[in-house]
């Protein structure tokens, strides 16, 4: 069985951003229009949002997006992305390639050295051809490519698969890419979720190293773990069969089929599950939270992360121990924990342990125990 490292990490953040104030202004303008319509029909009026509520509920102050004009238009409230012809590179493949090239450069590898491309994200642009195969062709990698997903645990789940493929010798060098264009699937007219997500793309190169070999500044993956438990508290029903449920299958009603969540239940149940997963995973390796130099947790909710770590440590821990990027990027789904890792590891010393851990819909949790080379 081969030793495995993450030899390269790449992150691509869209240039465009939306502040809480901008998002709230658009949302409230739509609420005014909608409430005028509701008043005429006697329906219950909708409640407006505000920036302070968003910060209190999530810790988010702004988010980066692939396109902001359509999102902020109260008559549209969705990204406005032009159709691309079939022979052109898809938006998600393009976004994935942007982070993939950075990861390859960080690893010092050429595309031709990669023998498997895995695209794993909470939302895929289409079912086929696989986005990974499209990336394979555009990059010039060898072997094969396939898509997968596990909600916000998608990158951690793909890392679990990639590590074990390389460890067994089935693959030599794997490119894992998580291009999250989640704003395309977000209901910006839902007060409970319209502020949560942002777009980002991350990539990792996973490869084997020799028994006595070291790669200074890179992480050896000691172990990975997945856990799932069925819950509909974070759910989307938008899929290939959605049209079959409509009276007119050629006029799809999206209302109620996009992302929805029962926030208070998610907070309580994922906090308990996340704490249990972390403590038990570390215990399998004779470790406690105190023995971990840094935690890179899923970037969904600042209060949730703080509570999980407080339960694990018995006291509060700060940014140095568990860095957050949520405030400026929002919840970037599967990409968030990898961004936190990319931005917060250069000060770690050889032999330091780190724990990557993401959790999300399913419920699902993915973890990787890392050791600095």
């Amino acid at each position: 069985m081969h030793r495995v490292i993450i030899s390269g990490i790449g992150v691509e953040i869209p240039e465009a951003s939306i502040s809480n104030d901008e998002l709230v202004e658009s949302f409230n303008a739509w609420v005014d229009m909608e409430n005028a319509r509701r008043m005429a029909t006697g329906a219950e009026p909708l409640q407006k949002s505000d920036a302070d509520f968003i910060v209190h509920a999530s810790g988010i102050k702004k988010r980066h997006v692939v396109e902001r004009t359509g999102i902020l238009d109260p008559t549209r409230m969705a990204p406005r992305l032009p159709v691309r012809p079939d022979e052109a590179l898809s938006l998600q493949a393009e976004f994935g390639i942007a982070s993939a090239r950075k990861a390859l450069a960080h690893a010092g590898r050429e595309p031709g050295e990669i023998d498997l491309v895995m695209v794993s994200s909470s939302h895929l642009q289409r079912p086929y051809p696989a986005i990974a195969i499209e990336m394979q062709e555009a990059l010039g990698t060898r072997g094969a490519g396939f898509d997968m997903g596990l909600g916000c645990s998608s990158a951690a789940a793909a890392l679990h698969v990639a590590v074990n493929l390389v460890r067994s010798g089935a693959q030599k060098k794997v490119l894992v890419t998580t291009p999250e264009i989640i704003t395309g699937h977000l209901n910006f007219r839902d007060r409970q979720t319209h502020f949560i997500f942002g777009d980002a793309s991350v990539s990792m190169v996973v490869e084997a190293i020799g028994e006595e070999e070291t790669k200074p500044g890179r992480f050896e993956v000691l172990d990975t773990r997945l856990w799932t438990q069925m819950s509909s508290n974070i759910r989307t029903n938008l899929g290939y069969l959605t049209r079959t449920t409509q009276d007119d299958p050629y006029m799809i009603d999206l209302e109620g089929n996009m992302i929805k969540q029962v926030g208070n239940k998610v907070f309580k149940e994922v906090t308990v599950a996340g704490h249990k997963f972390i403590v038990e995973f570390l215990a399998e390796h004779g470790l406690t939270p105190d023995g971990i130099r840094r935690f890179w947790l899923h970037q969904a909710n600042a209060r949730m992360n703080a509570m999980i770590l407080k339960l694990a440590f018995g006291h509060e821990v700060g940014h140095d121990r568990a860095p957050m990027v949520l405030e400026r990027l929002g919840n970037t789904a599967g990409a968030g924990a990898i961004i936190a890792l990319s931005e917060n590891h250069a000060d770690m010393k050889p032999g330091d342990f780190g724990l990557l851990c993401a959790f999300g819909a399913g419920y699902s949790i993915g973890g990787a125990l890392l050791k600095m080379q």
Side-chain angles (χ1 to χ4, degrees):
M1 301 295 283
H2 300 284
R3 294 169 60 218
V4 181
I5 62 167
I6 301 173
S7 61
I9 303 174
V11 174
E12 180 72 10
I13 306 295
E15 183 178 347
S17 67
I18 298 175
S19 69
N20 286 352
D21 288 335
E22 290 174 309
L23 195 66
V24 165
E25 181 181 1
S26 170
F27 179 84
N28 288 347
W30 173 78
V31 168
D32 284 337
M33 293 188 294
E34 177 65 12
N35 282 345
R37 185 190 67 81
R38 287 173 174 244
M39 184 177 296
T41 62
E44 191 74 21
L46 297 176
Q47 185 179 355
K48 291 187 175 182
S49 187
D50 65 76
D52 289 340
F53 159 74
I54 292 174
V55 175
H56 173 74
S58 65
I60 299 168
K61 293 185 178 179
K62 71 172 185 177
R63 69 286 298 145
H64 286 250
V65 298
V66 296
E67 201 282 325
R68 59 174 256 135
T69 306
I71 294 172
L72 294 177
D73 180 354
T75 67
R76 179 180 175 83
M77 302 183 80
R80 190 180 297 277
L81 304 171
V83 175
R84 298 185 179 190
D86 288 353
E87 60 270 19
L89 194 65
S90 71
L91 177 62
Q92 192 165 34
E94 180 181 85
F95 201 30
I97 286 170
S99 65
R101 291 195 187 281
K102 293 179 180 179
L104 289 166
H106 186 219
R109 296 298 181 187
E110 295 297 324
E113 297 181 78
I114 301 297
D115 59 357
L116 178 66
V117 177
M118 297 171 58
V119 169
S120 183
S121 66
S122 60
H123 297 84
L124 291 165
Q125 183 170 341
R126 62 168 188 268
Y128 47 81
I131 303 298
I133 299 176
E134 189 179 11
M135 285 182 57
Q136 177 192 15
E137 180 182 66
L139 285 168
T141 65
R142 299 182 296 109
F146 65 86
D147 295 346
M148 60 173 283
L150 191 64
C152 290
S153 301
S154 290
L159 182 61
H160 174 71
V161 175
V163 165
N164 283 286
L165 285 172
V166 172
R167 179 167 284 144
S168 69
Q171 306 291 156
K172 302 296 184 183
K173 296 177 179 64
V174 179
L175 174 65
V176 173
T177 300
T178 301
E180 295 284 16
I181 310 176
I182 200 166
T183 54
H185 196 93
L186 183 58
N187 184 357
F188 285 97
R189 296 177 178 177
D190 176 17
R191 184 177 180 270
Q192 297 301 314
T193 60
H194 78 113
F195 58 87
I196 295 176
F197 294 100
D199 301 324
S201 177
V202 299
S203 294
M204 295 176 282
V205 176
V206 178
E207 60 180 280
I209 58 170
E211 189 60 37
E212 303 299 328
E213 189 178 359
T214 60
K215 291 282 188 179
R218 302 298 187 262
F219 286 105
E220 181 175 356
V221 184
L222 301 181
D223 196 10
T224 58
R225 187 77 76 252
L226 290 179
W227 171 92
T228 59
Q229 176 180 293
M230 178 59 191
S231 171
S232 290
N233 288 329
I234 312 173
R235 188 179 180 97
T236 175
N237 289 317
L238 186 59
Y240 315 123
L241 296 181
T242 303
R243 65 193 295 266
T244 68
T245 68
Q246 311 295 313
D247 291 336
D248 183 347
Y250 291 92
M251 295 291 290
I252 298 177
D253 179 12
L254 297 181
E255 190 64 32
N257 287 313
M258 291 187 285
I259 298 168
K260 57 186 177 181
Q261 70 172 6
V262 185
N264 59 336
K265 285 189 176 181
V266 171
F267 187 97
K268 293 176 183 177
E269 294 170 6
V270 173
T271 296
V272 172
H275 161 248
K276 185 173 185 287
F277 177 94
I278 288 171
V279 171
E280 291 182 354
F281 184 29
L282 294 179
E284 290 179 20
H285 295 271
L287 296 168
T288 67
D290 287 309
I292 304 301
R293 174 63 185 90
R294 189 152 287 151
F295 291 80
W296 305 284
L297 302 185
H298 176 46
Q299 303 290 302
N301 187 291
R303 292 189 298 124
M304 178 189 293
N305 283 9
M307 181 61 72
I308 289 172
L309 291 169
K310 186 175 182 179
L311 289 170
F313 280 88
H315 58 81
E316 294 183 354
V317 299
H319 177 85
D320 178 67
R321 203 65 174 271
M324 297 290 294
V325 299
L326 178 76
E327 180 178 296
R328 73 178 197 276
L329 298 179
N331 180 349
T332 52
I338 310 302
I339 298 172
L341 167 62
S342 176
E343 294 185 359
N344 298 274
H345 73 274
D347 62 328
M348 294 178 66
K349 299 178 176 58
D352 281 350
F353 292 104
L355 183 70
L356 180 75
C357 189
F359 23 85
Y363 296 130
S364 62
I365 302 178
L369 179 61
L370 310 180
K371 186 177 182 180
M372 177 62 84
Q373 289 278 287

